Amino acid sequence: MPMPYRALASVAVRLEGQIYLFDAGEGCQVNLKKTKLGIKPLRVLAVSHLHGDHCLGVPGLLMMRAQVTDPGPLTILGPPGIQRFVEGLREVLAFYVNYSISFCEWNEGIPEIAYQDEQVRILWGPLKHTTLCLGYRLEEHPRPGKFNPSKAKTLSIPSGPLWGMLQQGHTVKLADGMNVSPDQVLGPPRPGRKICYAVDTQPNKTLYRLCQNVDLAFLDGMFLPEHQEEADAKGHMTVDDAARVASRAGALRAVLIHISPRYTEEDMERFVEAARQRFERVEMGADLQSFTIPYREVL
Ligand SMILES: [Zn+2]
Ligand SMILES: [Zn+2]
């Protein structure tokens, strides 16, 4: 439940003016407003599962988005039942939306790529919880390789617009009629950034796969290690479990979220301490915290 001192788990990823939102717990739209990210750029809402703390914020979010002019289509990803949940609420509450909503529900045998657009793809898979819960991995498409000016000069390509076109991946024609393709002047494609979002789960194969070599992993860190039994019974992880997953999966960095409401801010130091025994680059997430994910250096 949302507490006065801690909101529910929800992660917004902003990339080039688009927002991809993972989970919408109760009151989610209030914090989204506080972030000033805006609601119009919301393009995808990926819901992990149909427990209230992850989806009761959906109707408020959809209503808020209907208050802006021409917000554009929205895709909702989620477990079986997410469409019925949203459409049922729309019918009963009779709220109007001024944009189209397309749904994609996870099912056994469905492709691992849940969504794709011009900048990212989102992968998904079933985690290990008390009900079907999905983990997500957002991958930015690879970027073109680094432009090599000396190669361009060797090929007598005049600097200026032609360089720009090559950098953007277009073949150009030189004054002498010769064609130059981007691969003649660009290095190998550079990998895009990757994020994993996986809460309400215990470690399983899918979790490791979704977390593999990500730049940033948002993981369930609901309990302290001393409450392992409870974590197991409720289908959650301790910070110790989560840090171990991040470390073994080769994540560059991990942020642990979805802390049990029983713990207060004073306990956070113990959380960090326990997690860092397993993985150095881990921290506890806080409401409204933001992270900038740099591109990795390509040697
Ligand atoms: Zn749950
Ligand atoms: Zn939960």
Side-chain angles (χ1 to χ4, degrees):
M1 70 197 101
M3 302 300 278
Y5 51 85
R6 196 177 302 128
L8 295 168
S10 183
V11 167
V13 177
R14 180 171 61 180
L15 183 63
E16 301 289 341
Q18 305 286 353
I19 294 174
Y20 307 89
L21 188 68
F22 295 89
D23 274 339
E26 204 178 329
C28 156
Q29 81 273 34
V30 178
N31 270 348
L32 193 64
K33 264 198 166 164
K34 283 187 192 164
T35 64
K36 306 223 183 309
L37 287 170
I39 186 79
K40 189 168 177 168
L42 180 64
R43 193 145 170 187
V44 176
L45 169 60
V47 176
S48 63
H49 64 309
L50 293 173
H51 279 164
D53 54 331
H54 298 263
C55 63
L56 287 181
V58 173
L61 196 71
L62 300 185
M63 286 183 224
M64 188 167 95
R65 195 165 187 264
Q67 288 172 10
V68 296
T69 311
D70 194 19
L74 176 71
T75 299
I76 299 182
L77 311 174
I82 186 71
Q83 182 165 359
R84 197 157 53 93
F85 170 72
V86 173
E87 288 180 348
L89 279 163
R90 278 192 62 192
E91 196 187 315
V92 175
L93 301 177
F95 68 86
Y96 164 79
V97 293
N98 55 348
Y99 50 91
S100 67
I101 303 177
S102 52
F103 293 91
C104 186
E105 295 190 343
W106 185 89
N107 264 304
E108 206 71 58
I110 202 165
E112 209 191 5
I113 299 169
Y115 170 87
Q116 216 166 166
D117 63 23
E118 67 287 353
Q119 26 181 34
V120 299
R121 63 180 199 168
I122 298 175
L123 291 81
W124 57 357
L127 300 170
K128 189 181 172 197
H129 189 44
T130 53
T131 186
L132 174 62
C133 179
L134 301 167
Y136 291 96
R137 175 183 173 101
L138 181 140
E139 296 183 348
E140 185 184 21
H141 296 321
R143 296 173 300 147
K146 256 190 184 163
F147 186 78
N148 187 326
S150 60
K151 273 190 184 173
K153 281 176 194 155
T154 313
L155 291 166
S156 311
I157 310 165
S159 62
L162 290 180
W163 285 28
M165 285 176 73
L166 284 161
Q167 268 169 331
Q168 285 160 22
H170 304 290
T171 296
V172 300
K173 202 180 193 79
L174 303 185
D176 62 4
M178 191 180 83
N179 278 333
V180 179
S181 60
D183 57 293
Q184 291 178 268
V185 291
L186 299 184
R190 291 172 287 180
R193 292 162 290 186
K194 299 172 185 68
I195 292 170
C196 169
Y197 174 85
V199 290
D200 286 37
T201 186
Q202 295 195 274
N204 74 348
K205 270 191 184 166
T206 308
L207 178 60
Y208 277 100
R209 205 171 58 241
L210 296 172
C211 242
Q212 202 72 43
N213 296 325
V214 291
D215 294 271
L216 184 53
F218 291 96
L219 297 176
D220 180 326
M222 185 163 270
F223 293 102
L224 280 170
E226 66 212 52
H227 297 127
Q228 183 77 52
E229 236 170 72
E230 198 176 339
D232 293 346
K234 292 183 172 170
H236 283 280
M237 290 195 282
T238 63
V239 282
D240 181 66
D241 293 329
R244 195 183 315 119
V245 169
S247 164
R248 286 187 183 166
L252 210 56
R253 191 174 171 200
V255 174
L256 308 188
I257 55 173
H258 206 17
I259 319 304
S260 165
R262 82 175 64 169
Y263 304 112
T264 62
E265 283 315 299
E266 285 85 74
D267 297 313
M268 287 306 109
E269 206 39 56
R270 289 167 64 210
F271 271 79
V272 175
E273 225 169 79
R276 291 222 171 125
Q277 284 182 15
R278 292 277 178 197
F279 185 50
E280 194 45 48
R281 297 179 303 275
V282 69
E283 60 195 285
M284 300 307 297
D287 289 1
L288 301 172
Q289 200 175 2
S290 73
F291 304 89
T292 303
I293 305 172
Y295 283 110
R296 297 196 197 193
E297 271 305 312
V298 179
L299 302 172

